[in-house]
Amino acid sequence: MTDFLQFLSNKTPMYKGILPVLEKGLKETNTNQIIDLGSGGGGGLIWINKELRKKIPDLKILLTDYFPNIPAFEHTQKQIDNFDFIRTPIDARNVPENLNGLRTQFLSLHHFKPQDAQQILQNAVDSNSSIAIFEGQERTLQSIMAMIFSPITVLLTTPFIRPFHIGRIIFTYLIPIVPILILWDGVVSSLRTYSVDEMNALVSNLNNKENFNWEIGKVKSGPTKILYLLGTKK
């Protein structure tokens, strides 16, 4: 599943529309470092990194996760020389203060209940750390329908995913667990994704929120729309 999602992230213009948001976040934060939270395998950031480095050649990306996938992190780091990672668990709700940079979350905020999602934002404010959050799905009929057809995309793209793994072929075509799980994960993710209004509500309940500039909305990105939240310190 991670391989498939990373393939979409790096081989399609899925994230093209959010590049200006990331550039703005880095510029207003006066940093060249991204602290990515909930990175998974980290490979989904390869395309974004390539595009950002055209304007920010000294960009650095630090991968973190509450359940760090060390082999996946190491594989990503071997491909890109400006990636690094932390081997120990990092809780997005309580990020160590020594990790300085623009905090990011890609396709992961919906995994958190409202209280925890708000704590992620509150921790960023309390640490005076800018944060950018992105979701590639919405709680709409259109988004859910797109997820329903996602198994077809899995079947069509799997032969082109590298590096080749026989297990990926077996569990996609012979025992189609991966397409079924992608369908389930996509529909559930859509149903759990925070809307623009709900993101605004999370921000409205933060302490000292006035110390940050907040921007919440949707941006056209390739064939879809990306929901985003950008909070930068004043």
Side-chain angles (χ1 to χ4, degrees):
M1 289 176 63
T2 302
D3 288 346
F4 171 72
L5 294 174
Q6 291 181 0
F7 181 85
L8 288 185
S9 299
N10 294 315
K11 299 300 182 181
T12 70
M14 175 179 175
Y15 287 134
K16 184 177 181 179
I18 68 170
L19 291 175
V21 179
L22 284 167
E23 291 170 3
K24 180 178 180 180
L26 289 164
K27 182 179 180 180
E28 294 190 0
T29 308
N30 193 29
T31 184
N32 67 333
Q33 177 154 279
I34 287 175
I35 308 297
D36 191 52
L37 307 173
S39 298
L45 288 170
I46 292 176
W47 183 89
I48 289 176
N49 175 70
K50 181 184 70 173
E51 295 300 314
L52 286 178
R53 289 184 81 179
K54 294 177 181 178
K55 294 185 178 180
I56 311 171
D58 60 344
L59 179 70
K60 298 178 181 178
I61 296 181
L62 183 66
L63 306 175
T64 75
D65 204 286
Y66 193 67
F67 300 101
N69 186 338
I70 303 303
F73 283 174
E74 291 175 339
H75 177 71
T76 298
Q77 188 183 47
K78 288 178 182 177
Q79 299 178 69
I80 309 295
D81 60 4
N82 65 314
F83 276 54
D84 202 355
F85 62 89
I86 294 181
R87 294 179 176 272
T88 55
I90 299 296
D91 189 341
R93 300 165 299 180
N94 187 24
V95 180
E97 292 186 3
N98 65 312
L99 298 184
N100 299 313
L102 173 65
R103 298 181 183 181
T104 60
Q105 280 189 257
F106 293 89
L107 313 183
S108 63
L109 187 68
H110 62 271
H111 290 294
F112 294 87
K113 295 180 180 180
Q115 181 178 353
D116 294 318
Q118 186 168 322
Q119 181 57 39
I120 290 172
L121 299 177
Q122 188 65 64
N123 182 250
V125 172
D126 293 344
S127 304
N128 208 28
S129 299
S130 298
I131 188 168
I133 294 173
F134 305 95
E135 292 281 18
Q137 67 286 319
E138 300 181 72
R139 197 165 65 246
T140 63
L141 179 60
Q142 181 181 0
S143 181
I144 294 172
M145 289 302 297
M147 297 304 174
I148 289 176
F149 288 102
S150 61
I152 298 175
T153 306
V154 176
L155 296 175
L156 293 175
T157 59
T158 293
F160 303 99
I161 299 176
R162 296 293 181 270
F164 175 84
H165 289 297
I166 188 63
R168 189 186 303 122
I169 300 300
I170 292 173
F171 292 109
T172 298
Y173 299 105
L174 300 181
I175 308 173
I177 294 176
V178 174
I180 293 172
L181 290 179
I182 289 289
L183 168 62
W184 171 256
D185 180 69
V187 172
V188 172
S189 295
S190 293
L191 294 173
R192 294 186 60 175
T193 297
Y194 294 95
S195 66
V196 170
D197 289 342
E198 288 166 340
M199 287 184 177
N200 275 305
L202 291 175
V203 170
S204 69
N205 291 321
L206 298 176
N207 298 322
N208 302 316
K209 58 182 178 295
E210 63 278 1
N211 295 334
F212 274 54
N213 294 314
W214 299 97
E215 182 178 326
I216 301 172
K218 302 178 188 179
V219 61
K220 177 70 174 175
S221 189
T224 186
K225 289 183 179 180
I226 302 289
L227 278 74
Y228 73 92
L229 176 153
L230 176 64
T232 55
K233 54 187 179 181
K234 293 182 177 179

PDB file of all heavy atoms in Angstrom, residues 21-35 56 99-104 124 127-132 212-213 230-234:
ATOM      1  N   VAL A  21       2.497  26.731  -1.662  1.00  0.00           N
ATOM      2  CA  VAL A  21       2.188  26.758  -0.230  1.00  0.00           C
ATOM      3  C   VAL A  21       3.433  26.386   0.579  1.00  0.00           C
ATOM      4  O   VAL A  21       3.773  27.038   1.585  1.00  0.00           O
ATOM      5  CB  VAL A  21       1.029  25.796   0.106  1.00  0.00           C
ATOM      6  CG1 VAL A  21       0.731  25.808   1.604  1.00  0.00           C
ATOM      7  CG2 VAL A  21      -0.218  26.165  -0.682  1.00  0.00           C
ATOM      8  N   LEU A  22       4.136  25.347   0.131  1.00  0.00           N
ATOM      9  CA  LEU A  22       5.352  24.930   0.825  1.00  0.00           C
ATOM     10  C   LEU A  22       6.441  25.995   0.716  1.00  0.00           C
ATOM     11  O   LEU A  22       7.133  26.294   1.696  1.00  0.00           O
ATOM     12  CB  LEU A  22       5.851  23.607   0.247  1.00  0.00           C
ATOM     13  CG  LEU A  22       5.080  22.359   0.676  1.00  0.00           C
ATOM     14  CD1 LEU A  22       5.455  21.174  -0.204  1.00  0.00           C
ATOM     15  CD2 LEU A  22       5.352  22.041   2.142  1.00  0.00           C
ATOM     16  N   GLU A  23       6.584  26.574  -0.471  1.00  0.00           N
ATOM     17  CA  GLU A  23       7.581  27.629  -0.657  1.00  0.00           C
ATOM     18  C   GLU A  23       7.286  28.812   0.257  1.00  0.00           C
ATOM     19  O   GLU A  23       8.195  29.381   0.870  1.00  0.00           O
ATOM     20  CB  GLU A  23       7.605  28.072  -2.121  1.00  0.00           C
ATOM     21  CG  GLU A  23       8.156  27.013  -3.069  1.00  0.00           C
ATOM     22  CD  GLU A  23       7.934  27.375  -4.520  1.00  0.00           C
ATOM     23  OE1 GLU A  23       7.405  28.475  -4.793  1.00  0.00           O
ATOM     24  OE2 GLU A  23       8.284  26.554  -5.389  1.00  0.00           O
ATOM     25  N   LYS A  24       6.018  29.168   0.354  1.00  0.00           N
ATOM     26  CA  LYS A  24       5.613  30.268   1.226  1.00  0.00           C
ATOM     27  C   LYS A  24       5.908  29.939   2.678  1.00  0.00           C
ATOM     28  O   LYS A  24       6.417  30.780   3.440  1.00  0.00           O
ATOM     29  CB  LYS A  24       4.119  30.557   1.044  1.00  0.00           C
ATOM     30  CG  LYS A  24       3.596  31.689   1.904  1.00  0.00           C
ATOM     31  CD  LYS A  24       2.113  31.941   1.633  1.00  0.00           C
ATOM     32  CE  LYS A  24       1.568  33.078   2.491  1.00  0.00           C
ATOM     33  NZ  LYS A  24       0.122  33.322   2.211  1.00  0.00           N
ATOM     34  N   GLY A  25       5.587  28.710   3.093  1.00  0.00           N
ATOM     35  CA  GLY A  25       5.837  28.305   4.471  1.00  0.00           C
ATOM     36  C   GLY A  25       7.312  28.344   4.825  1.00  0.00           C
ATOM     37  O   GLY A  25       7.690  28.819   5.905  1.00  0.00           O
ATOM     38  N   LEU A  26       8.158  27.872   3.929  1.00  0.00           N
ATOM     39  CA  LEU A  26       9.597  27.877   4.177  1.00  0.00           C
ATOM     40  C   LEU A  26      10.143  29.306   4.212  1.00  0.00           C
ATOM     41  O   LEU A  26      10.965  29.653   5.066  1.00  0.00           O
ATOM     42  CB  LEU A  26      10.317  27.071   3.090  1.00  0.00           C
ATOM     43  CG  LEU A  26      10.116  25.546   3.155  1.00  0.00           C
ATOM     44  CD1 LEU A  26      10.518  24.899   1.840  1.00  0.00           C
ATOM     45  CD2 LEU A  26      10.924  24.945   4.308  1.00  0.00           C
ATOM     46  N   LYS A  27       9.661  30.134   3.293  1.00  0.00           N
ATOM     47  CA  LYS A  27      10.135  31.520   3.225  1.00  0.00           C
ATOM     48  C   LYS A  27       9.728  32.296   4.466  1.00  0.00           C
ATOM     49  O   LYS A  27      10.558  33.001   5.068  1.00  0.00           O
ATOM     50  CB  LYS A  27       9.584  32.202   1.968  1.00  0.00           C
ATOM     51  CG  LYS A  27      10.054  33.637   1.792  1.00  0.00           C
ATOM     52  CD  LYS A  27       9.496  34.249   0.514  1.00  0.00           C
ATOM     53  CE  LYS A  27       9.964  35.688   0.346  1.00  0.00           C
ATOM     54  NZ  LYS A  27       9.426  36.294  -0.910  1.00  0.00           N
ATOM     55  N   GLU A  28       8.453  32.197   4.870  1.00  0.00           N
ATOM     56  CA  GLU A  28       7.979  32.954   6.021  1.00  0.00           C
ATOM     57  C   GLU A  28       8.573  32.435   7.330  1.00  0.00           C
ATOM     58  O   GLU A  28       8.631  33.157   8.323  1.00  0.00           O
ATOM     59  CB  GLU A  28       6.455  32.929   6.074  1.00  0.00           C
ATOM     60  CG  GLU A  28       5.803  33.663   4.906  1.00  0.00           C
ATOM     61  CD  GLU A  28       4.313  33.859   5.079  1.00  0.00           C
ATOM     62  OE1 GLU A  28       3.765  33.427   6.114  1.00  0.00           O
ATOM     63  OE2 GLU A  28       3.698  34.459   4.179  1.00  0.00           O
ATOM     64  N   THR A  29       8.993  31.173   7.327  1.00  0.00           N
ATOM     65  CA  THR A  29       9.626  30.591   8.506  1.00  0.00           C
ATOM     66  C   THR A  29      11.123  30.872   8.521  1.00  0.00           C
ATOM     67  O   THR A  29      11.796  30.648   9.529  1.00  0.00           O
ATOM     68  CB  THR A  29       9.366  29.070   8.556  1.00  0.00           C
ATOM     69  OG1 THR A  29       7.955  28.821   8.420  1.00  0.00           O
ATOM     70  CG2 THR A  29       9.829  28.449   9.862  1.00  0.00           C
ATOM     71  N   ASN A  30      11.633  31.336   7.384  1.00  0.00           N
ATOM     72  CA  ASN A  30      13.063  31.624   7.234  1.00  0.00           C
ATOM     73  C   ASN A  30      13.895  30.378   7.530  1.00  0.00           C
ATOM     74  O   ASN A  30      14.852  30.415   8.320  1.00  0.00           O
ATOM     75  CB  ASN A  30      13.488  32.774   8.146  1.00  0.00           C
ATOM     76  CG  ASN A  30      14.871  33.309   7.801  1.00  0.00           C
ATOM     77  OD1 ASN A  30      15.302  33.237   6.645  1.00  0.00           O
ATOM     78  ND2 ASN A  30      15.571  33.830   8.792  1.00  0.00           N
ATOM     79  N   THR A  31      13.511  29.280   6.886  1.00  0.00           N
ATOM     80  CA  THR A  31      14.215  28.016   7.097  1.00  0.00           C
ATOM     81  C   THR A  31      14.365  27.278   5.776  1.00  0.00           C
ATOM     82  O   THR A  31      13.619  27.521   4.830  1.00  0.00           O
ATOM     83  CB  THR A  31      13.451  27.124   8.099  1.00  0.00           C
ATOM     84  OG1 THR A  31      14.214  25.935   8.365  1.00  0.00           O
ATOM     85  CG2 THR A  31      12.099  26.702   7.538  1.00  0.00           C
ATOM     86  N   ASN A  32      15.329  26.390   5.728  1.00  0.00           N
ATOM     87  CA  ASN A  32      15.512  25.532   4.559  1.00  0.00           C
ATOM     88  C   ASN A  32      15.255  24.072   4.923  1.00  0.00           C
ATOM     89  O   ASN A  32      15.591  23.170   4.163  1.00  0.00           O
ATOM     90  CB  ASN A  32      16.929  25.678   3.996  1.00  0.00           C
ATOM     91  CG  ASN A  32      17.995  25.138   4.951  1.00  0.00           C
ATOM     92  OD1 ASN A  32      17.788  25.112   6.167  1.00  0.00           O
ATOM     93  ND2 ASN A  32      19.128  24.714   4.426  1.00  0.00           N
ATOM     94  N   GLN A  33      14.654  23.850   6.101  1.00  0.00           N
ATOM     95  CA  GLN A  33      14.439  22.480   6.572  1.00  0.00           C
ATOM     96  C   GLN A  33      12.970  22.165   6.790  1.00  0.00           C
ATOM     97  O   GLN A  33      12.234  22.946   7.393  1.00  0.00           O
ATOM     98  CB  GLN A  33      15.205  22.225   7.873  1.00  0.00           C
ATOM     99  CG  GLN A  33      14.961  20.824   8.467  1.00  0.00           C
ATOM    100  CD  GLN A  33      16.087  20.316   9.317  1.00  0.00           C
ATOM    101  OE1 GLN A  33      17.073  19.806   8.798  1.00  0.00           O
ATOM    102  NE2 GLN A  33      15.949  20.449  10.626  1.00  0.00           N
ATOM    103  N   ILE A  34      12.562  20.998   6.285  1.00  0.00           N
ATOM    104  CA  ILE A  34      11.228  20.459   6.520  1.00  0.00           C
ATOM    105  C   ILE A  34      11.336  19.343   7.547  1.00  0.00           C
ATOM    106  O   ILE A  34      12.156  18.425   7.400  1.00  0.00           O
ATOM    107  CB  ILE A  34      10.616  19.916   5.214  1.00  0.00           C
ATOM    108  CG1 ILE A  34      10.209  21.073   4.291  1.00  0.00           C
ATOM    109  CG2 ILE A  34       9.409  19.018   5.494  1.00  0.00           C
ATOM    110  CD1 ILE A  34       9.698  20.624   2.932  1.00  0.00           C
ATOM    111  N   ILE A  35      10.522  19.433   8.595  1.00  0.00           N
ATOM    112  CA  ILE A  35      10.415  18.362   9.590  1.00  0.00           C
ATOM    113  C   ILE A  35       9.118  17.631   9.288  1.00  0.00           C
ATOM    114  O   ILE A  35       8.030  18.093   9.644  1.00  0.00           O
ATOM    115  CB  ILE A  35      10.384  18.922  11.030  1.00  0.00           C
ATOM    116  CG1 ILE A  35      11.561  19.880  11.277  1.00  0.00           C
ATOM    117  CG2 ILE A  35      10.385  17.775  12.033  1.00  0.00           C
ATOM    118  CD1 ILE A  35      12.915  19.231  11.178  1.00  0.00           C
ATOM    119  N   ILE A  56      15.115  26.164  -3.916  1.00  0.00           N
ATOM    120  CA  ILE A  56      15.772  26.099  -2.604  1.00  0.00           C
ATOM    121  C   ILE A  56      16.811  24.974  -2.669  1.00  0.00           C
ATOM    122  O   ILE A  56      16.582  23.855  -2.180  1.00  0.00           O
ATOM    123  CB  ILE A  56      14.746  25.829  -1.479  1.00  0.00           C
ATOM    124  CG1 ILE A  56      13.550  26.772  -1.595  1.00  0.00           C
ATOM    125  CG2 ILE A  56      15.400  25.966  -0.095  1.00  0.00           C
ATOM    126  CD1 ILE A  56      12.405  26.441  -0.668  1.00  0.00           C
ATOM    127  N   LEU A  99      13.920  20.062  17.149  1.00  0.00           N
ATOM    128  CA  LEU A  99      13.667  19.830  15.724  1.00  0.00           C
ATOM    129  C   LEU A  99      13.096  21.113  15.127  1.00  0.00           C
ATOM    130  O   LEU A  99      11.902  21.386  15.222  1.00  0.00           O
ATOM    131  CB  LEU A  99      12.696  18.651  15.544  1.00  0.00           C
ATOM    132  CG  LEU A  99      13.180  17.309  16.067  1.00  0.00           C
ATOM    133  CD1 LEU A  99      12.162  16.215  15.727  1.00  0.00           C
ATOM    134  CD2 LEU A  99      14.553  16.947  15.501  1.00  0.00           C
ATOM    135  N   ASN A 100      13.953  21.884  14.533  1.00  0.00           N
ATOM    136  CA  ASN A 100      13.584  23.199  14.018  1.00  0.00           C
ATOM    137  C   ASN A 100      13.382  23.170  12.511  1.00  0.00           C
ATOM    138  O   ASN A 100      14.197  22.604  11.783  1.00  0.00           O
ATOM    139  CB  ASN A 100      14.663  24.224  14.372  1.00  0.00           C
ATOM    140  CG  ASN A 100      14.844  24.368  15.869  1.00  0.00           C
ATOM    141  OD1 ASN A 100      13.863  24.494  16.605  1.00  0.00           O
ATOM    142  ND2 ASN A 100      16.079  24.337  16.331  1.00  0.00           N
ATOM    143  N   GLY A 101      12.312  23.793  12.056  1.00  0.00           N
ATOM    144  CA  GLY A 101      12.027  23.859  10.634  1.00  0.00           C
ATOM    145  C   GLY A 101      10.527  23.960  10.409  1.00  0.00           C
ATOM    146  O   GLY A 101       9.752  24.163  11.354  1.00  0.00           O
ATOM    147  N   LEU A 102      10.113  23.849   9.163  1.00  0.00           N
ATOM    148  CA  LEU A 102       8.691  23.837   8.828  1.00  0.00           C
ATOM    149  C   LEU A 102       8.151  22.428   9.020  1.00  0.00           C
ATOM    150  O   LEU A 102       8.552  21.495   8.313  1.00  0.00           O
ATOM    151  CB  LEU A 102       8.489  24.283   7.376  1.00  0.00           C
ATOM    152  CG  LEU A 102       7.054  24.173   6.831  1.00  0.00           C
ATOM    153  CD1 LEU A 102       6.111  25.119   7.577  1.00  0.00           C
ATOM    154  CD2 LEU A 102       7.028  24.446   5.329  1.00  0.00           C
ATOM    155  N   ARG A 103       7.241  22.261   9.966  1.00  0.00           N
ATOM    156  CA  ARG A 103       6.627  20.948  10.182  1.00  0.00           C
ATOM    157  C   ARG A 103       5.619  20.675   9.068  1.00  0.00           C
ATOM    158  O   ARG A 103       4.870  21.576   8.666  1.00  0.00           O
ATOM    159  CB  ARG A 103       5.923  20.902  11.538  1.00  0.00           C
ATOM    160  CG  ARG A 103       6.846  21.101  12.718  1.00  0.00           C
ATOM    161  CD  ARG A 103       6.093  21.023  14.039  1.00  0.00           C
ATOM    162  NE  ARG A 103       6.978  21.275  15.180  1.00  0.00           N
ATOM    163  CZ  ARG A 103       6.592  21.254  16.440  1.00  0.00           C
ATOM    164  NH1 ARG A 103       5.321  20.980  16.746  1.00  0.00           N
ATOM    165  NH2 ARG A 103       7.462  21.507  17.417  1.00  0.00           N
ATOM    166  N   THR A 104       5.598  19.440   8.587  1.00  0.00           N
ATOM    167  CA  THR A 104       4.636  19.071   7.546  1.00  0.00           C
ATOM    168  C   THR A 104       3.960  17.748   7.892  1.00  0.00           C
ATOM    169  O   THR A 104       4.523  16.909   8.601  1.00  0.00           O
ATOM    170  CB  THR A 104       5.307  18.924   6.164  1.00  0.00           C
ATOM    171  OG1 THR A 104       6.327  17.908   6.221  1.00  0.00           O
ATOM    172  CG2 THR A 104       5.909  20.237   5.697  1.00  0.00           C
ATOM    173  N   ALA A 124       2.614  22.974  17.854  1.00  0.00           N
ATOM    174  CA  ALA A 124       3.356  23.816  16.912  1.00  0.00           C
ATOM    175  C   ALA A 124       3.360  25.269  17.394  1.00  0.00           C
ATOM    176  O   ALA A 124       4.396  25.941  17.375  1.00  0.00           O
ATOM    177  CB  ALA A 124       2.742  23.709  15.523  1.00  0.00           C
ATOM    178  N   SER A 127       5.526  25.712  20.467  1.00  0.00           N
ATOM    179  CA  SER A 127       6.948  25.610  20.130  1.00  0.00           C
ATOM    180  C   SER A 127       7.395  26.702  19.170  1.00  0.00           C
ATOM    181  O   SER A 127       8.557  26.722  18.760  1.00  0.00           O
ATOM    182  CB  SER A 127       7.239  24.235  19.504  1.00  0.00           C
ATOM    183  OG  SER A 127       6.840  23.183  20.358  1.00  0.00           O
ATOM    184  N   ASN A 128       6.447  27.580  18.792  1.00  0.00           N
ATOM    185  CA  ASN A 128       6.752  28.658  17.841  1.00  0.00           C
ATOM    186  C   ASN A 128       7.274  28.078  16.529  1.00  0.00           C
ATOM    187  O   ASN A 128       8.213  28.614  15.924  1.00  0.00           O
ATOM    188  CB  ASN A 128       7.766  29.639  18.431  1.00  0.00           C
ATOM    189  CG  ASN A 128       7.609  31.038  17.863  1.00  0.00           C
ATOM    190  OD1 ASN A 128       6.516  31.439  17.454  1.00  0.00           O
ATOM    191  ND2 ASN A 128       8.697  31.786  17.819  1.00  0.00           N
ATOM    192  N   SER A 129       6.651  26.960  16.103  1.00  0.00           N
ATOM    193  CA  SER A 129       7.076  26.263  14.895  1.00  0.00           C
ATOM    194  C   SER A 129       5.978  26.312  13.836  1.00  0.00           C
ATOM    195  O   SER A 129       4.837  25.925  14.097  1.00  0.00           O
ATOM    196  CB  SER A 129       7.397  24.789  15.209  1.00  0.00           C
ATOM    197  OG  SER A 129       8.454  24.695  16.143  1.00  0.00           O
ATOM    198  N   SER A 130       6.321  26.758  12.649  1.00  0.00           N
ATOM    199  CA  SER A 130       5.351  26.807  11.559  1.00  0.00           C
ATOM    200  C   SER A 130       4.969  25.393  11.141  1.00  0.00           C
ATOM    201  O   SER A 130       5.747  24.441  11.295  1.00  0.00           O
ATOM    202  CB  SER A 130       5.937  27.558  10.362  1.00  0.00           C
ATOM    203  OG  SER A 130       6.235  28.895  10.713  1.00  0.00           O
ATOM    204  N   ILE A 131       3.754  25.248  10.588  1.00  0.00           N
ATOM    205  CA  ILE A 131       3.258  23.924  10.228  1.00  0.00           C
ATOM    206  C   ILE A 131       2.428  23.989   8.956  1.00  0.00           C
ATOM    207  O   ILE A 131       1.704  24.956   8.721  1.00  0.00           O
ATOM    208  CB  ILE A 131       2.428  23.318  11.395  1.00  0.00           C
ATOM    209  CG1 ILE A 131       2.063  21.860  11.099  1.00  0.00           C
ATOM    210  CG2 ILE A 131       1.198  24.177  11.709  1.00  0.00           C
ATOM    211  CD1 ILE A 131       1.510  21.122  12.308  1.00  0.00           C
ATOM    212  N   ALA A 132       2.578  22.973   8.125  1.00  0.00           N
ATOM    213  CA  ALA A 132       1.809  22.862   6.877  1.00  0.00           C
ATOM    214  C   ALA A 132       1.240  21.457   6.788  1.00  0.00           C
ATOM    215  O   ALA A 132       1.980  20.474   6.897  1.00  0.00           O
ATOM    216  CB  ALA A 132       2.690  23.148   5.662  1.00  0.00           C
ATOM    217  N   PHE A 212       0.249  33.489  15.139  1.00  0.00           N
ATOM    218  CA  PHE A 212       0.518  32.852  13.850  1.00  0.00           C
ATOM    219  C   PHE A 212      -0.382  33.450  12.769  1.00  0.00           C
ATOM    220  O   PHE A 212      -1.474  33.947  13.052  1.00  0.00           O
ATOM    221  CB  PHE A 212       0.245  31.351  13.928  1.00  0.00           C
ATOM    222  CG  PHE A 212       1.399  30.526  14.434  1.00  0.00           C
ATOM    223  CD1 PHE A 212       2.010  30.808  15.646  1.00  0.00           C
ATOM    224  CD2 PHE A 212       1.867  29.459  13.695  1.00  0.00           C
ATOM    225  CE1 PHE A 212       3.062  30.057  16.107  1.00  0.00           C
ATOM    226  CE2 PHE A 212       2.924  28.690  14.141  1.00  0.00           C
ATOM    227  CZ  PHE A 212       3.530  28.988  15.353  1.00  0.00           C
ATOM    228  N   ASN A 213       0.092  33.388  11.544  1.00  0.00           N
ATOM    229  CA  ASN A 213      -0.750  33.655  10.382  1.00  0.00           C
ATOM    230  C   ASN A 213      -1.305  32.321   9.897  1.00  0.00           C
ATOM    231  O   ASN A 213      -0.532  31.372   9.685  1.00  0.00           O
ATOM    232  CB  ASN A 213       0.065  34.318   9.261  1.00  0.00           C
ATOM    233  CG  ASN A 213       0.544  35.707   9.637  1.00  0.00           C
ATOM    234  OD1 ASN A 213      -0.218  36.517  10.151  1.00  0.00           O
ATOM    235  ND2 ASN A 213       1.821  35.981   9.387  1.00  0.00           N
ATOM    236  N   LEU A 230      -1.937  26.043   6.504  1.00  0.00           N
ATOM    237  CA  LEU A 230      -0.605  26.603   6.690  1.00  0.00           C
ATOM    238  C   LEU A 230      -0.643  27.581   7.863  1.00  0.00           C
ATOM    239  O   LEU A 230      -1.413  28.546   7.855  1.00  0.00           O
ATOM    240  CB  LEU A 230      -0.137  27.319   5.430  1.00  0.00           C
ATOM    241  CG  LEU A 230       1.218  28.032   5.514  1.00  0.00           C
ATOM    242  CD1 LEU A 230       2.343  27.017   5.745  1.00  0.00           C
ATOM    243  CD2 LEU A 230       1.488  28.846   4.252  1.00  0.00           C
ATOM    244  N   GLY A 231       0.161  27.303   8.859  1.00  0.00           N
ATOM    245  CA  GLY A 231       0.289  28.200   9.989  1.00  0.00           C
ATOM    246  C   GLY A 231       1.734  28.621  10.144  1.00  0.00           C
ATOM    247  O   GLY A 231       2.614  27.782  10.358  1.00  0.00           O
ATOM    248  N   THR A 232       2.003  29.916   9.975  1.00  0.00           N
ATOM    249  CA  THR A 232       3.375  30.424  10.073  1.00  0.00           C
ATOM    250  C   THR A 232       3.450  31.454  11.191  1.00  0.00           C
ATOM    251  O   THR A 232       2.574  32.289  11.362  1.00  0.00           O
ATOM    252  CB  THR A 232       3.831  31.064   8.749  1.00  0.00           C
ATOM    253  OG1 THR A 232       2.885  32.080   8.361  1.00  0.00           O
ATOM    254  CG2 THR A 232       3.914  30.023   7.653  1.00  0.00           C
ATOM    255  N   LYS A 233       4.539  31.386  11.921  1.00  0.00           N
ATOM    256  CA  LYS A 233       4.723  32.311  13.037  1.00  0.00           C
ATOM    257  C   LYS A 233       4.915  33.732  12.521  1.00  0.00           C
ATOM    258  O   LYS A 233       5.536  33.969  11.497  1.00  0.00           O
ATOM    259  CB  LYS A 233       5.925  31.882  13.880  1.00  0.00           C
ATOM    260  CG  LYS A 233       7.220  31.714  13.104  1.00  0.00           C
ATOM    261  CD  LYS A 233       8.294  31.129  13.971  1.00  0.00           C
ATOM    262  CE  LYS A 233       9.608  30.933  13.184  1.00  0.00           C
ATOM    263  NZ  LYS A 233      10.678  30.339  13.995  1.00  0.00           N
ATOM    264  N   LYS A 234       4.333  34.696  13.239  1.00  0.00           N
ATOM    265  CA  LYS A 234       4.435  36.091  12.845  1.00  0.00           C
ATOM    266  C   LYS A 234       5.802  36.659  13.177  1.00  0.00           C
ATOM    267  O   LYS A 234       6.478  36.186  14.092  1.00  0.00           O
ATOM    268  CB  LYS A 234       3.355  36.906  13.550  1.00  0.00           C
ATOM    269  CG  LYS A 234       1.939  36.569  13.097  1.00  0.00           C
ATOM    270  CD  LYS A 234       0.934  37.441  13.796  1.00  0.00           C
ATOM    271  CE  LYS A 234      -0.490  37.156  13.305  1.00  0.00           C
ATOM    272  NZ  LYS A 234      -1.510  37.986  13.996  1.00  0.00           N
TER     273      LYS A 234
END
